């Protein structure tokens, strides 16, 4: 059973679309379930995320976690965006069924992938950011929910 917040973000997703000339774009997927998530970031000269958009191919939980993730990082600094974890996304949505937790992992990894792209384009290093995996099913069994 999905929470009211999950249903709201699925039925009325926020920040859907693309950002032309995005500062960073991250695409991740889960080969096991077929979900693919792409996050676009527009980051200003002070490293504040001015805008964030997403495109997701997947289930309702994937759409909802994408939508919530964009809401959680918009207006935040890069440092604050790094602190948005899959647990934070799940909590903001009032939880996810256990079989859909991987969707929140996709959202976290898509943010990190977009930040990685931004860092690569600008020749900078973001503390704590590691090169993201393009397929989260490679390590999801290792994650603790």
């Amino acid at each position: 059973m999905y929470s009211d917040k999950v249903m709201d973000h699925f039925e009325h997703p926020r920040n859907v679309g693309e950002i032309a000339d995005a500062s960073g774009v991250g695409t991740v997927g889960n080969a096991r379930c077929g979900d693919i998530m792409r996050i676009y970031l527009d980051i200003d000269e002070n490293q504040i995320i001015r805008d964030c958009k997403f495109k997701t191919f997947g289930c309702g939980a994937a759409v909802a976690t994408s939508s919530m993730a964009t809401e959680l990082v918009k207006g935040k600094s890069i440092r604050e965006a790094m602190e948005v974890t899959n647990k934070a996304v799940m909590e903001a949505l009032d939880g996810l069924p256990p079989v859909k937790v991987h969707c929140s992992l996709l959202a976290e990894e898509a943010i990190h992938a977009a930040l990685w792209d931004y860092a690569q384009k600008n020749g900078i290093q973001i503390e704590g950011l590691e090169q993201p995996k393009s397929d989260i099913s490679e390590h999801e069994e290792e994650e603790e929910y």
Side-chain angles (χ1 to χ4, degrees):
M1 186 74 179
Y2 291 116
S3 71
D4 290 341
K5 282 188 183 177
V6 171
M7 292 306 298
D8 182 44
H9 277 267
F10 169 63
E11 293 172 347
H12 311 285
R14 284 67 154 176
N15 309 307
V16 175
E18 299 178 25
I19 297 174
D21 300 319
S23 306
V25 180
T27 304
V28 296
N30 184 319
R32 189 175 306 152
C33 70
D35 293 339
I36 300 170
M37 190 177 293
R38 180 171 289 155
I39 295 227
Y40 301 82
L41 299 176
D42 177 23
I43 302 172
D44 72 15
E45 62 281 350
N46 297 313
Q47 297 191 334
I48 302 297
I49 299 170
R50 282 189 290 225
D51 198 9
C52 185
K53 302 257 186 229
F54 80 93
K55 284 190 155 184
T56 293
F57 175 83
C59 65
V63 172
T65 57
S66 302
S67 174
M68 181 56 80
T70 62
E71 290 286 283
L72 291 173
V73 300
K74 195 186 278 193
K76 301 285 195 301
S77 68
I78 288 175
R79 171 76 27 234
E80 291 168 319
M82 283 290 298
E83 296 170 6
V84 175
T85 64
N86 71 303
K87 288 177 180 60
V89 172
M90 285 193 301
E91 287 172 10
L93 288 168
D94 294 334
L96 287 171
V99 298
K100 295 298 181 179
V101 169
H102 69 273
C103 294
S104 64
L105 286 168
L106 271 177
E108 177 183 341
E109 286 296 318
I111 292 167
H112 289 178
L115 289 171
W116 179 266
D117 184 51
Y118 167 76
Q120 295 297 298
K121 287 177 178 174
N122 290 279
I124 62 170
Q125 190 169 7
I126 299 171
E127 187 179 333
L129 183 62
E130 297 176 7
Q131 185 168 3
K133 293 174 172 48
S134 59
D135 180 358
I136 67 149
S137 65
E138 296 170 13
H139 72 289
E140 72 180 5
E141 289 86 13
E142 300 166 17
E143 298 290 329
E144 290 184 29
Y145 304 121

